Amino acid sequence: MTKIGVEQSLTDIHEALAELGYEVTELRHAADAAGVDFDFCVVTGLDTNVMGIQDARTDASIIEANGMTANEIVNEIRSRLNQ
């Protein structure tokens, strides 16, 4: 099953993905993604690190939801899964 971490403020995206049967977990901090075997992480992009310092690492595909609808996020995930 596809595991997706979704940033806390993106409730509409969380609900849309859960309704489609994806395993969705709420991300409260970028560090939540570290050490968890997510396939995708959906983030707002509002907490972009302007200093360029990274302290969380993940092998998950990151999707920045800024300016995207829930439907566009779903389509992006489906597209990446079919590659």
Side-chain angles (χ1 to χ4, degrees), residues 3-81:
K3 295 181 184 178
I4 304 171
V6 177
E7 198 168 302
Q8 184 177 9
S9 63
L10 300 172
T11 54
D12 57 331
I13 294 169
H14 186 285
E15 291 169 1
L17 292 168
E19 285 177 14
L20 292 171
Y22 294 107
E23 185 177 332
V24 185
T25 302
E26 183 179 281
L27 296 176
R28 294 188 178 151
H29 307 286
D32 287 352
V36 178
D37 191 21
F38 288 117
D39 298 298
F40 296 92
C41 289
V42 182
V43 298
T44 62
L46 298 177
D47 294 332
T48 302
N49 187 346
V50 295
M51 301 271 310
I53 300 169
Q54 296 178 339
D55 57 357
R57 303 187 91 188
T58 182
D59 291 331
S61 292
I62 306 297
I63 298 175
E64 190 173 318
N66 191 22
M68 296 177 76
T69 66
N71 193 39
E72 290 171 327
I73 297 293
V74 168
N75 289 336
E76 180 67 23
I77 289 171
R78 286 179 172 164
S79 174
R80 292 186 189 189
L81 285 172

